[in-house]
Amino acid sequence: EAQVTQNPRYLITVTGKKLTVTCSQNMNHEYMSWYRQDPGLGLRQIYYSMNVEVTDKGDVPEGYKVSRKEKRNFPLILESPSPNQTSLYFCATRSGRAGYEQFFGPGTRLTVL
Amino acid sequence: DQQVKQNSPSLSVQEGRISILNCDYTNSMFDYFLWYKKYPAEGPTFLISISSIKDKNEDGRFTVFLNKSAKHLSLHIVPSQPGDSAVYFCAGGTDSWGKLQFGAGTQVVVTP
């Protein structure tokens, strides 16, 4: 079954404590991306990757890092989380060769105290 | 600055009637548009897309209309069903790699 998985699904942490949210896909897609969803703002892109070792900033990259060492994984790293990073995070993937559709993971609810 | 705007945060419609969701955009360079549907505690799921060179795309009960001169698109759901109750996001993309700009979403409630 085609899947985008995210872990953890829920996380409560404190300011300054480094954390990583993992994203993995089994569809062999070249393109992966991270979004955050906030009330009244919709989904905003944080970072995206067009292939292994190729990443670029989205619209709201401040405070986040990513890496793409393997095609299937695209972790989101918060080196020093702050309360304004409390949000719902989604990973998404897309084939580089077919259509416009992006496939989303189930989301990670992050609370930074 | 939001390039895609959904000005109606919510919409209530009776089962069997038409739901019309609206979306306005400012970036004339968008090559395509997508609609996503989102249930609580799930990720968004793709619903329907339209290329900027077309003015209509239909898929079953869902039809998207694009008016480029007005920078406006709309999603029609006919007939509306209770399972259509969800948040709907409109998105625009400017390149084939899918860097998307999303609207804030419209909560649709379909009542019996």
Side-chain angles (χ1 to χ4, degrees):
Chain A
E1 180 192 351
Q3 271 192 338
V4 181
T5 56
Q6 294 180 226
N7 282 293
R9 294 289 314 275
Y10 302 91
L11 179 61
I12 300 175
T13 189
V14 294
T15 299
K17 186 176 181 183
K18 180 180 178 179
L19 66 93
T20 299
V21 184
T22 64
C23 174
S24 182
Q25 52 107 352
N26 64 0
M27 293 173 277
N28 202 36
H29 285 173
E30 291 82 4
Y31 178 94
M32 297 185 75
S33 182
W34 277 102
Y35 295 86
R36 59 178 288 175
Q37 183 190 354
D38 301 290
L41 297 175
L43 290 99
R44 293 179 293 166
Q45 191 173 49
I46 303 169
Y47 269 94
Y48 65 99
S49 168
M50 290 163 60
N51 214 325
V52 176
E53 302 292 0
V54 181
T55 63
D56 207 349
K57 296 177 181 178
D59 296 316
V60 287
E62 295 78 20
Y64 304 94
K65 284 176 58 176
V66 293
S67 69
R68 188 90 183 275
K69 293 183 169 41
E70 313 165 86
K71 199 171 188 180
R72 63 181 290 125
N73 295 322
F74 190 45
L76 179 70
I77 303 154
L78 286 72
E79 295 268 3
S80 182
S82 62
N84 65 12
Q85 293 178 296
T86 293
S87 187
L88 180 56
Y89 291 87
F90 291 101
C91 178
T93 77
R94 178 174 176 256
S95 168
R97 280 175 282 280
Y100 308 129
E101 177 187 355
Q102 292 193 21
F103 297 84
F104 283 81
T108 294
R109 172 74 66 183
L110 172 65
T111 301
V112 183
L113 302 174
Chain B
D1 179 35
Q2 278 196 292
Q3 298 182 33
V4 177
K5 293 182 181 176
Q6 295 175 256
N7 293 317
S8 297
S10 63
L11 172 69
S12 183
V13 64
Q14 264 191 318
E15 182 178 1
R17 307 293 290 266
I18 183 171
S19 295
I20 300 177
L21 289 77
N22 294 303
C23 181
D24 296 299
Y25 62 95
T26 58
N27 188 342
S28 58
M29 301 300 290
F30 282 139
D31 294 315
Y32 58 89
F33 301 89
L34 306 122
W35 284 93
Y36 279 84
K37 175 179 179 179
K38 184 182 179 306
Y39 293 118
E42 294 183 12
T45 54
F46 172 75
L47 201 54
I48 191 169
S49 66
I50 187 167
S51 165
S52 61
I53 62 172
K54 303 206 170 196
D55 55 18
K56 178 182 175 181
N57 189 26
E58 193 171 351
D59 184 2
R61 297 187 297 115
F62 303 92
T63 303
V64 57
F65 296 92
L66 175 62
N67 182 334
K68 284 189 73 175
S69 61
K71 293 192 177 70
H72 177 84
L73 64 155
S74 61
L75 174 69
H76 292 208
I77 307 173
V78 185
S80 300
Q81 299 174 353
D84 296 330
S85 296
V87 177
Y88 290 78
F89 291 100
C90 167
T94 54
D95 56 65
S96 62
W97 284 102
K99 190 168 186 282
L100 295 178
Q101 298 284 340
F102 281 83
T106 297
Q107 172 77 60
V108 172
V109 176
V110 180
T111 56

